[in-house]
């Protein structure tokens, strides 16, 4: 059983849903990212997506685009981000880690080489939003051979036959995009997200995680009433751009993670901070 499958199995046994956090690797520095990942895990986050920064992040909204630019300016690249993952595993980190990035960075060293190196470092899955599933035939075998889950997307615009095909190809979990557009915090989520998740779960037992626009405890509660996990990015990333002292940045991220994770547990009241 993969580390991702094992985490979802553990969540089911506890009767709770998952929280997946995204942060941009190297923002504001790789050393701080290492401490942030540990803080997220200690706060109860179930998986972490590390954004491998790319200069043309098509699926990312302004908050994450800015984070990627800060990370690139600070020197983050494929080599040192994979070294960061290896260091986190050497620290004893047990939760699943995923790399979210774009195809150019996978193609540059070669797909098979990238997948082997990522898996050897301790990565469990890949999220590549600019690779449609019809064009993923080159990556899927290499990822599977290396032991990586290549995450498939579904969106509000996905027709039933496309949802079924994504479900057939799915490994780890299906990433359900809550809305059309790019990542970023929204005041509310579209009500259609519930119907979309139910349509996906009607054709597969693979866990479904909802991302894009999910930023508040009430959003997490809303989507995890039907989905298996919520994915939150910009709400964490925005703190990294505030120029805070490291101890305050880590404290704010930890508090937010605790509030969001509490919303995945049935019978737990929503915790709302003033951050």
């Amino acid at each position: 059983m993969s580390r991702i499958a094992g985490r979802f199995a553990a969540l089911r046994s506890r009767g709770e849903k998952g929280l997946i956090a995204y942060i941009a690797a190297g923002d504001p520095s790789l050393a701080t990212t290492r401490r942030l990942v540990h803080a997220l895990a200690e706060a109860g986050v179930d998986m972490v997506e590390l954004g491998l920064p790319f200069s043309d992040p098509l699926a990312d909204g302004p908050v994450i685009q800015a984070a990627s630019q800060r990370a690139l300016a600070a020197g983050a690249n494929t080599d040192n981000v994979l070294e960061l993952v290896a260091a986190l595993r050497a620290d004893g980190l047990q939760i699943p880690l995923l790399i979210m990035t774009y195809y150019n960075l996978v193609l540059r060293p070669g797909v098979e080489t990238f997948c082997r190196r990522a898996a050897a470092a301790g990565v469990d899955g890949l999220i590549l939003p600019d690779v449609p599933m019809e064009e993923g035939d080159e990556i899927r075998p290499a990822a599977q051979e290396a032991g990586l889950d290549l995450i498939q997307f579904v969106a509000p615009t996905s027709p039933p036959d496309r949802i079924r095909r994504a479900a057939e190809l799915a490994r780890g979990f299906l990433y359900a995009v809550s809305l059309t557009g790019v990542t970023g915090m929204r005041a509310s989520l579209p009500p259609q997200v519930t119907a979309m998740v139910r349509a996906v779960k009607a054709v597969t037992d693979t866990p479904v995680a909802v991302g894009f626009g999910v930023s508040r405890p009430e959003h997490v509660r809303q989507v995890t009433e039907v989905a298996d996990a919520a994915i939150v990015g910009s709400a964490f990333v925005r703190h990294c751009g505030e120029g805070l002292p490291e101890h305050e940045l880590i404290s704010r991220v930890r508090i937010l993670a605790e509030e969001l994770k509490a919303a995945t547990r049935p019978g737990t009241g929503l915790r709302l901070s003033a951050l």
Side-chain angles (χ1 to χ4, degrees), residues 52-54 78 101-109 114:
L52 176 56
F54 180 57
T78 300
T101 192
Y102 293 87
Y103 185 56
N104 277 22
L105 297 186
V106 177
L107 183 62
R108 183 180 299 168
F114 183 94

Side-chain angles (χ1 to χ4, degrees), residues 91-212:
D91 293 341
L93 186 81
Q94 295 298 314
I95 63 171
L97 294 173
L98 300 102
I99 292 289
M100 181 169 180
T101 192
Y102 293 87
Y103 185 56
N104 277 22
L105 297 186
V106 177
L107 183 62
R108 183 180 299 168
V111 172
E112 293 181 357
T113 298
F114 183 94
C115 290
R116 282 199 305 270
R117 290 185 60 206
V123 175
D124 300 290
L126 292 179
I127 301 174
L128 303 173
D130 62 343
V131 179
M133 64 180 174
E134 293 84 355
E135 299 178 19
D137 290 345
E138 182 183 7
I139 302 175
R140 274 188 290 272
Q144 188 166 351
E145 177 67 24
L148 298 174
D149 290 335
L150 180 63
I151 306 302
Q152 302 294 324
F153 284 88
V154 293
T157 52
S158 300
D161 59 338
R162 189 173 180 81
I163 290 175
R164 282 193 294 272
R165 181 59 179 154
E168 290 169 0
L169 297 173
R171 295 178 60 87
F173 61 88
L174 274 158
Y175 194 130
V177 177
S178 74
L179 44 80
T180 55
V182 296
T183 64
M185 295 177 285
R186 269 59 167 196
S188 61
L189 299 178
Q192 296 87 345
V193 67
T194 299
M196 178 183 66
V197 173
R198 286 186 172 140
V200 177
K201 294 187 73 68
V203 299
T204 183
D205 293 328
T206 301
V208 179
V210 176
F212 283 47

